Amino acid sequence: MPLKGDSNKEQRAYEELAAWTLGLGDAAFLHQHVVDAWAAQHATAESKPIKIAFALLGLYLHLEHGFSGREVQLAHMRLAQPYGRGPGRKEWPHFPIPKARVNLTAQDVVTAPESERPRAIDRWCQSVWNGWEDSHSAIAEWVTCDLGDPRKR
């Protein structure tokens, strides 16, 4: 289902937001949440399974377990490792693309005053995550199986 707004405007808003978060140079790496929200919101049947899986992993760890962007990035690295607990796989789990999409977008976030953007990013992440509600338990199961209990970080 199409997102609200012009897709070119939405792409430009994402690029502006991504540049802004990268420019922060923050230890928490807020940029990771922007990348994950964008990827999950714009996932299609043609999207690579790893892109969708990593985006949903990031949203899950951030919203359900309070992980920072840096901690999500480290979880991505663990999953990508060929040895250790990370599967280093070529096959990634497939999660069904939601039919209904949220209306909160990168455009909404980038128009927020800079002092409000971190909270706006969290609201956007939550909105996107809610759209994947039918997959929440499968995502939690996959994460726990491949990374262990996120509460024991």
Side-chain angles (χ1 to χ4, degrees), residues 98-148:
K99 291 189 187 340
R101 297 294 180 111
V102 295
N103 283 327
L104 193 57
T105 69
Q107 288 181 65
D108 298 309
V109 176
V110 82
T111 59
E114 287 188 14
S115 63
E116 293 294 317
R117 283 187 188 168
R119 284 182 289 286
I121 289 167
D122 277 344
R123 286 191 301 274
W124 179 34
C125 287
Q126 187 66 60
S127 179
V128 172
W129 177 241
N130 291 347
W132 289 83
E133 183 177 17
D134 291 347
S135 295
H136 285 184
S137 61
I139 295 161
E141 183 179 318
W142 166 60
V143 170
T144 301
C145 178
D146 283 9
L147 291 176

Side-chain angles (χ1 to χ4, degrees), residues 1-152:
M1 175 179 284
L3 299 170
K4 76 175 184 180
D6 175 85
S7 62
N8 289 330
K9 285 183 185 177
E10 179 66 8
Q11 180 69 40
R12 285 191 303 275
Y14 168 69
E15 291 167 1
E16 182 180 336
L17 187 58
W20 181 78
T21 55
L22 280 173
L24 293 174
D26 60 319
F29 198 51
L30 185 61
H31 178 72
Q32 184 66 55
H33 305 315
V34 170
V35 171
D36 291 338
W38 177 265
Q41 187 170 45
H42 293 272
T44 67
E46 290 76 34
S47 298
K48 293 186 181 206
I50 189 174
K51 183 175 183 176
I52 297 171
F54 273 31
L56 295 174
L57 164 99
L59 293 175
Y60 168 73
L61 291 176
H62 175 55
L63 296 167
E64 303 294 334
H65 296 286
F67 278 42
S68 69
R70 183 71 63 212
E71 290 170 312
V72 168
Q73 187 182 46
L74 292 172
H76 288 164
M77 291 166 54
R78 280 184 54 208
L79 277 176
Q81 290 176 1
Y83 304 106
R85 267 199 99 146
R89 69 175 100 199
K90 292 184 184 199
E91 287 287 323
W92 294 94
H94 292 262
F95 301 103
I97 307 296
K99 291 189 187 340
R101 297 294 180 111
V102 295
N103 283 327
L104 193 57
T105 69
Q107 288 181 65
D108 298 309
V109 176
V110 82
T111 59
E114 287 188 14
S115 63
E116 293 294 317
R117 283 187 188 168
R119 284 182 289 286
I121 289 167
D122 277 344
R123 286 191 301 274
W124 179 34
C125 287
Q126 187 66 60
S127 179
V128 172
W129 177 241
N130 291 347
W132 289 83
E133 183 177 17
D134 291 347
S135 295
H136 285 184
S137 61
I139 295 161
E141 183 179 318
W142 166 60
V143 170
T144 301
C145 178
D146 283 9
L147 291 176
D149 188 341
R151 295 170 295 187
K152 298 178 182 176

